[in-house]
Amino acid sequence: MQFFGGSEISPSPPAPTASGNNAHMMYVFNRNGICLLYREWNRPLRTLSAQEDHKLMFGLLFSLKSLTAKMDPTSVEKGNLGVPQLPGQGCSFHSFRTNTYKLSFMETPSGIKIILVTHPRAGDLREPLKYIYNLYVEYAVKNPLYTPGTPIKCELFNTTLDQYVRGLG
Amino acid sequence: FEETKAQHSPFTSMAPVAPRSGDVIFASVERVNAELFTLTYGAIVRQLITDLEEVEEVNKQLDQMGYNIGIRLIDEFLAKSNVSRCVDFKETAEVIAKVGFKMFLGVTASVTNWDAEGTCCSLILEDNPLVDFVELPETCQGLYYCNILSGVVRGALEMVSMKTEVTWLRDMLRGDDAFELQVKLLKQVPEEYPYKDDE
């Protein structure tokens, strides 16, 4: 018989390693749900295929955005749940934290969504996410060989990203 | 030197950063020689006229090139200027004129001729770096030399969910006294959930 609200205490997360990457993984989506980039540095548990994983992540964020906007106590708009919003409009959530990880999120008005999953004691990552957006502009958007709306396959971008994320406190 | 380093470090301030003005960004980006820019653009138009021969085709191609630039330019604009979503189209037009044009062309435009609903306005450019040294010959009278700009504005706005129609009302190369670009908002296209519901 399943007993909900069990007495076992949730396991505490592993301490972040002193060296090596502090982040677990990163996603970049565009407005159409296409995963432009997925970087993985530290992910011991993988349960879904890559495509399902991306869809799940995108769907989660889409719903979370909608929900947080709907529950906004300061807003006077009476939009219905599920009504499509313009990216950047209304209130926007920027992170959630569990006992094992923290997910930080940033969305631009052009619909580019950047998600960074780190250890739970990470601080406010809004500035780093903006910096990553700048890296995206420099290495992907400005690259004439890159077609916008397709997955990014640029080694230089990956290396720069890895280096930057490694340096995050 | 230390000052610029601090400015570029991502950890200096945790508070949301205010949008930067056009002058500030223009001063901080890498710039190219103005003549090189003008002459390169002129060479592109010249080559298009040779390749396509029909002036209308050249206009369309310039607009398409502008569109392809605009869809990328918007991300650079958003990243560098820190502008958050504009509340209404009026704010959008002001931002394009004051921050956008300044940042990329080094000149500001003015916004006038609003219609009653606030969905259509004109951007007036007194100064236009694309047309320095340019005179249209007899054979190219139907040419909209700066049509790349209309494509850029249209492409950039489409990436922020606005479908627009951008046309030239006045063109100094055709004898008018200023460059007037009309921007008309056709509709806002909010994000739809892109995946079909799976079973």
Side-chain angles (χ1 to χ4, degrees):
Chain A
M1 186 174 76
Q2 190 65 292
F3 180 61
F4 294 110
S7 54
E8 62 178 7
I9 302 165
S10 313
S12 62
T17 50
S19 65
N21 277 309
N22 283 305
H24 293 290
M25 61 239 203
M26 187 177 108
Y27 300 76
V28 179
F29 289 101
N30 76 348
R31 63 190 308 134
N32 296 322
I34 298 175
C35 185
L36 304 179
L37 185 75
Y38 170 66
R39 293 297 290 164
E40 187 179 288
W41 298 288
N42 177 17
R43 190 176 186 178
L45 176 66
R46 221 173 286 127
T47 52
L48 304 165
S49 76
Q51 210 203 14
E52 282 175 356
D53 184 62
H54 299 159
K55 254 170 97 165
L56 182 68
M57 180 58 75
F58 186 81
L60 164 74
L61 293 165
F62 196 86
S63 310
L64 258 179
K65 258 197 318 159
S66 198
L67 182 71
T68 50
K70 176 67 179 150
M71 287 188 60
D72 187 358
T74 62
S75 160
V76 292
E77 274 179 23
K78 302 267 185 261
N80 292 318
L81 194 62
V83 165
Q85 293 234 297
L86 300 174
Q89 190 184 52
C91 87
S92 52
F93 89 96
H94 45 84
S95 65
F96 69 76
R97 201 197 306 252
T98 72
N99 59 319
T100 50
Y101 68 89
K102 176 175 184 179
L103 184 144
S104 306
F105 172 73
M106 183 185 93
E107 183 180 27
T108 70
S110 55
I112 302 293
K113 306 182 210 316
I114 304 180
I115 297 107
L116 194 58
V117 180
T118 57
H119 66 85
R121 278 182 287 281
D124 187 358
L125 288 174
R126 271 180 286 183
E127 287 303 314
L129 284 174
K130 279 216 196 95
Y131 189 78
I132 293 175
Y133 182 48
N134 273 289
L135 287 183
Y136 163 74
V137 165
E138 291 301 312
Y139 289 91
V141 172
K142 284 188 174 178
N143 184 349
L145 299 177
Y146 166 67
T147 317
T150 59
I152 304 168
K153 291 185 171 43
C154 172
E155 268 317 301
L156 198 54
F157 182 45
N158 292 343
T159 350
T160 317
L161 256 184
D162 286 351
Q163 243 177 344
Y164 177 65
V165 171
R166 197 166 293 140
L168 284 178
Chain B
F1 211 74
E2 277 310 305
E3 205 183 286
T4 39
K5 229 175 146 189
Q7 207 179 29
H8 288 301
S9 157
F11 303 109
T12 41
S13 70
M14 284 311 177
V17 182
R20 301 163 76 191
S21 79
D23 299 311
V24 168
I25 312 170
F26 186 64
S28 68
V29 295
E30 269 177 36
R31 273 164 284 164
V32 74
N33 179 293
E35 278 166 17
L36 176 63
F37 178 65
T38 306
L39 293 174
T40 305
Y41 184 69
I44 292 174
V45 180
R46 186 77 188 77
Q47 193 59 43
L48 283 175
I49 294 173
T50 310
D51 289 343
L52 301 172
E53 287 167 21
E54 281 278 329
V55 157
E56 239 345 280
E57 281 305 309
V58 177
N59 286 339
K60 261 196 253 168
Q61 188 72 318
L62 281 174
D63 185 78
Q64 185 58 38
M65 284 167 66
Y67 178 81
N68 292 333
I69 293 174
I71 61 178
R72 295 176 187 248
L73 190 120
I74 184 68
D75 277 315
E76 186 179 357
F77 174 73
L78 291 172
K80 296 220 161 86
S81 69
N82 243 335
V83 165
S84 55
R85 172 140 225 118
C86 293
V87 172
D88 58 12
F89 191 60
K90 285 206 160 133
E91 195 185 337
T92 307
E94 285 296 323
V95 166
I96 296 175
K98 299 286 177 286
V99 188
F101 272 99
K102 182 70 191 173
M103 197 173 139
F104 291 105
L105 286 182
V107 295
T108 48
S110 49
V111 187
T112 54
N113 284 350
W114 279 104
D115 72 342
E117 290 102 46
T119 56
C120 183
C121 68
S122 291
L123 299 172
I124 317 266
L125 277 169
E126 304 284 318
D127 194 13
N128 185 345
L130 292 176
V131 306
D132 290 337
F133 327 128
V134 175
E135 235 178 66
L136 284 189
E138 296 292 309
T139 50
C140 298
Q141 286 308 311
L143 181 69
Y144 283 111
Y145 187 82
C146 304
N147 223 24
I148 205 163
L149 289 180
S150 61
V152 172
V153 172
R154 186 170 61 91
L157 285 178
E158 190 169 307
M159 298 307 280
V160 283
S161 320
M162 286 180 248
K163 275 221 156 351
T164 54
E165 207 175 79
V166 186
T167 45
W168 289 102
L169 291 185
R170 278 189 286 167
D171 188 328
M172 276 171 102
L173 295 179
R174 292 178 163 210
D176 301 315
D177 51 354
F179 286 98
E180 184 172 343
L181 191 64
Q182 184 186 69
V183 185
K184 185 163 160 182
L185 176 67
L186 299 175
K187 63 175 181 166
Q188 305 248 27
V189 190
E191 245 180 20
E192 293 286 335
Y193 188 65
Y195 306 123
K196 289 194 274 286
D197 286 323
D198 292 331
E199 297 308 277

